[in-house]
């Protein structure tokens, strides 16, 4: 069993439903935790056969978020979690999405969701 963490993935997207948010991209910060098994053969051979490829899922998430438009942080977070969970090798995943400066006196607002098989 292993836990892969993608930390502080910074992406610009349309997020929110206020008039200015509908026309201006904003930063979101994404943290992902993925629990998966690592095949013994990969550990013995030092070859990537059969492992969960964190680079591939990260690229998929970047494209999805950059090209999307989201009114709710909840929907964005759930969609990212669904993308991660598409791979059957994922046992459990947790996704946290931060929206910096969403509130006047707060550094950010974040939402976290988790799924497991």
């Amino acid at each position: 069993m292993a836990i892969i963490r993608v930390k502080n993935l910074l992406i610009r997207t349309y997020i929110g439903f206020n008039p200015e948010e509908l026309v201006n991209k904003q930063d979101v910060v994404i943290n992902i935790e993925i629990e998966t098994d690592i095949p013994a053969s990969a550990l013995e051979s030092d070859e990537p056969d059969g492992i969960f490829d964190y680079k591939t899922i990260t690229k998929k998430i970047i494209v999805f978020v950059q090209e999307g438009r989201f009114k709710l942080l909840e929907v964005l977070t759930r969609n990212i979690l669904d993308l991660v969970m598409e791979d059957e090798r994922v046992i459990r995943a947790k996704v946290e999405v931060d929206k910096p400066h969403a509130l006047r006196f707060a550094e950010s607002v974040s939402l976290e969701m988790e799924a497991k098989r």
Side-chain angles (χ1 to χ4, degrees):
M1 192 76 63
I3 296 178
I4 299 167
R5 290 187 178 92
V6 178
K7 298 180 180 183
N8 300 322
L9 183 62
L10 180 64
I11 306 173
R12 293 189 61 75
T13 192
Y14 294 99
I15 181 76
F17 49 84
N18 293 323
E20 67 276 3
E21 294 174 320
L22 296 173
V23 295
N24 296 310
K25 282 190 170 186
Q26 300 176 68
D27 290 336
V28 291
V29 180
I30 302 168
N31 286 282
I32 306 162
E33 185 174 291
I34 301 163
E35 188 174 322
T36 186
D37 283 324
I38 300 175
S41 59
L43 293 172
E44 292 167 7
S45 67
D46 196 20
E47 294 294 332
D49 299 329
I51 65 164
F52 178 82
D53 187 351
Y54 57 82
K55 186 175 182 179
T56 300
I57 190 61
T58 301
K59 285 181 176 182
K60 196 182 227 184
I61 290 167
I62 290 168
V63 169
F64 175 77
V65 174
Q66 282 180 333
E67 293 179 358
R69 288 183 170 267
F70 312 93
K71 290 182 182 174
L72 300 175
L73 195 56
E74 293 84 348
V75 171
L76 173 57
T77 304
R78 183 58 201 211
N79 288 338
I80 294 169
L81 183 59
D82 289 345
L83 279 175
V84 174
M85 293 300 293
E86 284 178 358
D87 192 308
E88 292 296 321
R89 292 170 290 192
V90 175
I91 297 165
R92 181 188 62 81
K94 182 168 32 174
V95 173
E96 179 183 24
V97 180
D98 280 83
K99 184 178 174 185
H101 314 295
L103 296 174
R104 184 174 175 197
F105 296 108
E107 184 178 310
S108 71
V109 170
S110 71
L111 187 81
E112 182 177 282
M113 291 185 176
E114 186 171 344
K116 63 181 177 178
R117 298 197 195 288

